Amino acid sequence: VVHALPTKYPYDPSNPGDVRAAELEDIIHNKFILDATYLGRYSQKTMEGVNHILSVNGGKLDLREEDFEMLEAAKDLNDFLGINYYMSDWMREFDGESEITHNSTGAKGGSKYQLKGVGRREFDVDVPRTDWDWMIYPQGLYDQMMRVKNDYPNYKKIYVTENGLGYKDEFVDGTVKDDARIDYVKKHLEIISDAITAGVNVKGYFIWSLMDVFSWSNGYEKRYGLFYVDFETQERYPKKSAYWYKKLAETQIIE
């Protein structure tokens, strides 16, 4: 099974409202699926948060006995957990209506995310972010993997199934000098190494992506590839990161 698991933090850890917002956002994106996958049930704390969100928004959840029978039967059958990780989020308490503005053009600062009964994402934090307002925070991957190890010890093993940097690549003289992408991947691999040292059973890493591809939410402008694609001619050109990653794969040494 593969889950996208963005880590959530309170904007102000000393503010109980921010802590609560981070907990509720974490339930929506992470605990609700991890509990079902590995516990075969929902923890009391998870269900308390889910029921709060439903009550505030006038929703309901149809949970049936046979659903939990299947979850219980399946909880130890996963061969591995695949984690797609690109970013973390910082949450503030929020009392208002839901509003989400997706930054699909790469205009930094164009994102807005606030959920009624949950909280609001704070983008102005002391953390690097992409033009698409995705927070670059490798520590979040470490924290997420440690959470899996500690809270779901029947996970068996982990693969990082997606990780990479979406960027407005500048194609100059037949290539892209994408040092920012190299730095992004390097720091995430270093944090994965730290997690392995801490006892997490990580068995592999898959970069996103081999070449630039079409994005359903960003079209052709946001590029992730190790290879630059001219979408008019379909020609492929190795970026600086392609040579760096090739050497890394051959030597397994992070430089």
Side-chain angles (χ1 to χ4, degrees):
V1 64
V2 177
H3 290 315
L5 302 176
T7 310
K8 311 295 181 176
Y9 300 98
Y11 177 75
D12 181 359
S14 66
N15 181 352
D18 290 2
V19 172
R20 175 65 168 165
E23 290 175 348
L24 290 169
E25 178 82 345
D26 182 58
I27 286 172
I28 291 175
H29 288 270
N30 300 315
K31 285 187 69 66
F32 194 67
I33 52 179
L34 287 172
D35 277 7
T37 301
Y38 289 108
L39 298 182
R41 57 181 173 80
Y42 298 115
S43 69
Q44 181 178 346
K45 187 173 183 179
T46 296
M47 281 310 305
E48 185 275 327
V50 169
N51 287 328
H52 161 76
I53 296 167
L54 291 172
S55 65
V56 170
N57 290 280
K60 61 181 181 179
L61 192 60
D62 182 11
L63 298 176
R64 305 185 181 187
E65 186 175 341
E66 57 265 31
D67 296 333
F68 290 100
E69 291 174 356
M70 287 188 284
L71 290 177
E72 175 64 28
K75 67 183 177 65
D76 295 316
L77 300 181
N78 287 287
D79 295 317
F80 67 90
L81 170 64
I83 296 179
N84 294 352
Y85 179 84
Y86 294 94
M87 60 180 178
S88 294
D89 295 301
W90 278 259
M91 299 299 298
R92 302 188 78 160
E93 61 179 327
F94 168 74
D95 182 19
E97 297 299 316
S98 298
E99 183 179 354
I100 299 176
T101 301
H102 175 64
N103 178 356
S104 61
T105 62
K108 186 177 286 188
S111 300
K112 189 172 186 178
Y113 180 99
Q114 57 194 42
L115 288 182
K116 184 177 181 180
V118 179
R120 174 171 62 87
R121 290 181 189 171
E122 178 60 64
F123 296 97
D124 188 17
V125 296
D126 188 23
V127 172
R129 58 174 161 154
T130 72
D131 289 332
W132 284 265
D133 298 314
W134 289 23
M135 301 303 190
I136 301 174
Y137 195 65
Q139 181 66 34
L141 177 57
Y142 178 90
D143 292 344
Q144 194 67 250
M145 290 192 291
M146 292 303 296
R147 186 255 288 277
V148 171
K149 173 183 178 293
N150 294 328
D151 294 356
Y152 309 98
N154 57 327
Y155 73 94
K156 295 181 183 174
K157 57 187 174 182
I158 289 174
Y159 288 89
V160 178
T161 37
E162 279 191 32
N163 178 249
L165 179 65
Y167 209 65
K168 295 178 180 178
D169 290 338
E170 294 185 16
F171 185 69
V172 180
D173 296 330
T175 189
V176 175
K177 295 181 179 179
D178 53 343
D179 293 276
R181 180 170 291 110
I182 293 171
D183 183 67
Y184 178 98
V185 175
K186 176 183 177 181
K187 288 179 178 177
H188 282 81
L189 287 172
E190 288 172 343
I191 218 74
I192 292 170
S193 178
D194 292 343
I196 293 171
T197 300
V200 181
N201 188 25
V202 185
K203 304 302 290 185
Y205 173 90
F206 296 84
I207 194 169
W208 186 266
S209 55
L210 175 65
M211 63 184 68
D212 297 331
V213 296
F214 175 78
S215 165
W216 288 109
S217 59
N218 299 284
Y220 289 110
E221 187 174 7
K222 191 177 187 181
R223 296 174 180 267
Y224 280 91
L226 297 175
F227 287 77
Y228 183 91
V229 177
D230 183 327
F231 293 113
E232 294 294 326
T233 67
Q234 294 299 299
E235 289 292 322
R236 277 79 159 164
Y237 303 87
K239 303 175 187 178
K240 184 177 180 180
S241 60
Y243 296 106
W244 175 83
Y245 197 73
K246 176 179 184 289
K247 183 178 179 181
L248 169 71
E250 290 173 344
T251 64
Q252 297 188 16
I253 297 174
I254 303 172
E255 294 181 345

